[in-house]
Amino acid sequence: MQSIKEEEYSPDSMQRILNGVTFFKELTNQDESQFKLLMQASRIVSTEPHETIFSKDDESYSLYFLLRGQLSVYVSDDNGEHVLNEINAGEIFGVMSMLLERPRSASIRTTDRAALLAEIDFKHFSDIKDFSLFNLDTKLSFYRMIANSLRWTLERNKMANPEHPLISRLYKIPLFIGDKGGEEELEALSKQAYMLAELVREWNESNA
C-alpha cells in the first residue's frame, strides 16, 4: 500500500470520494471541524490489484474505510481458500480485531482492481470516555456505524447460510432503547459492537 499525496487529488475530488462513506459525509455535515480532525488522524492509501491488505493472525493496529474498489475476505486451510464475504466501497473493515484486541481473524485482499482506502488508528476511538480529540457526537456516530456494519456482516452471513447454528445469537444482542444522544447510548453501542464482533469472530472460525 502507498500513501496518497495531496496533489494527486483535487480537494473537491477527494471530498466526493470521501462522501461515499456515510460516516465521513455525516461528520462533514454535523461538524466540519471534527471531520478535519479525522482527516488529520487518517492516512489515504492506494493498493495494487490482488494485493493483501492484511493476513489472518496479523497484529491489529488500524481500521480501514474502503473508498474505491472491492475486497475479498477469506481464510485458508489445507483444502484451499474459503471466501467469507466481500467488502464494497463505503464500508468499514478491520474493526473486529480492534474491538476484541485480538489478531486478525481473516485475510483481506483486493480483487482484480486497485483500491483506495482511508486508514485510521483505532486508539482515537477506543476510550469512549475520552473526548479530548473527538467529541461525544462524533463517537456516537462512529459506534453506530460500527454496530451497523458488524450487524450487516452477520446478516449477509445469515443469507448465505440460513441454517448456521450461530444465527440465534444474533437476535439476542440487545438494541439500545433509552434516550439517544448521550453517554449512556455510547456505552451501550460500545458493548453492542463488542458482542457483534465476538459473534463475527466465532462465525469466521466456524468456517475456517
Side-chain angles (χ1 to χ4, degrees):
M1 294 188 291
Q2 292 186 334
S3 296
I4 295 295
K5 298 178 182 178
E6 288 187 20
E7 58 267 23
E8 294 184 48
Y9 288 88
S10 69
D12 288 344
S13 177
M14 180 53 70
Q15 188 64 59
R16 285 194 298 271
I17 293 171
L18 292 170
N19 281 346
V21 175
T22 302
F23 174 60
F24 291 161
K25 187 175 182 178
E26 287 181 351
L27 192 55
T28 302
N29 295 331
Q30 179 177 292
D31 189 333
E32 191 170 354
S33 65
Q34 286 281 284
F35 174 75
K36 289 179 178 178
L37 283 174
L38 182 64
M39 290 300 98
Q40 291 171 9
S42 304
R43 186 169 73 106
I44 308 300
V45 297
S46 62
T47 72
E48 297 295 328
H50 305 293
E51 180 176 349
T52 298
I53 309 302
F54 54 73
S55 299
K56 186 178 183 297
D57 296 326
D58 280 355
E59 292 298 321
S60 55
Y61 300 101
S62 300
L63 58 93
Y64 301 87
F65 294 89
L66 180 59
L67 304 178
R68 280 184 174 175
Q70 189 177 57
L71 307 174
S72 292
V73 182
Y74 67 96
V75 292
S76 301
D77 59 24
D78 294 338
N79 297 317
E81 292 182 358
H82 306 277
V83 176
L84 302 176
N85 54 56
E86 294 180 338
I87 298 169
N88 298 304
E91 296 181 352
I92 189 173
F93 65 98
V95 172
M96 189 172 65
S97 57
M98 305 282 103
L99 291 169
L100 302 178
E101 298 182 347
R102 296 170 62 100
R104 304 293 188 184
S105 64
S107 301
I108 293 182
R109 68 174 171 226
T110 57
T111 57
D112 56 359
R113 293 183 295 161
L116 191 67
L117 314 170
E119 179 183 4
I120 301 174
D121 193 325
F122 185 64
K123 70 181 181 182
H124 300 302
F125 292 93
S126 58
D127 185 350
I128 62 172
K129 297 187 181 297
D130 178 9
F131 303 114
S132 59
L133 183 63
F134 296 115
N135 61 30
L136 174 61
D137 288 339
T138 297
K139 289 200 169 182
L140 280 167
S141 295
F142 181 80
Y143 276 93
R144 286 177 191 136
M145 177 264 302
I146 284 181
N148 288 337
S149 175
L150 290 166
R151 193 174 290 277
W152 173 235
T153 295
L154 289 163
E155 289 291 342
R156 287 193 298 189
N157 290 352
K158 184 185 74 172
M159 288 186 283
N161 188 355
E163 303 301 323
H164 198 287
L166 289 175
I167 289 175
S168 61
R169 292 259 304 279
L170 175 60
Y171 302 111
K172 295 179 181 178
I173 296 176
L175 298 174
F176 180 69
I177 57 174
D179 293 332
K180 293 188 175 182
E183 291 188 41
E184 184 181 2
E185 183 191 5
L186 180 58
E187 183 176 354
L189 286 168
S190 175
K191 291 179 180 178
Q192 182 186 131
Y194 179 89
M195 295 173 70
L196 289 164
E198 182 64 28
L199 188 54
V200 173
R201 181 193 65 78
E202 290 184 41
W203 195 301
N204 288 351
E205 290 184 355
S206 72
N207 287 287

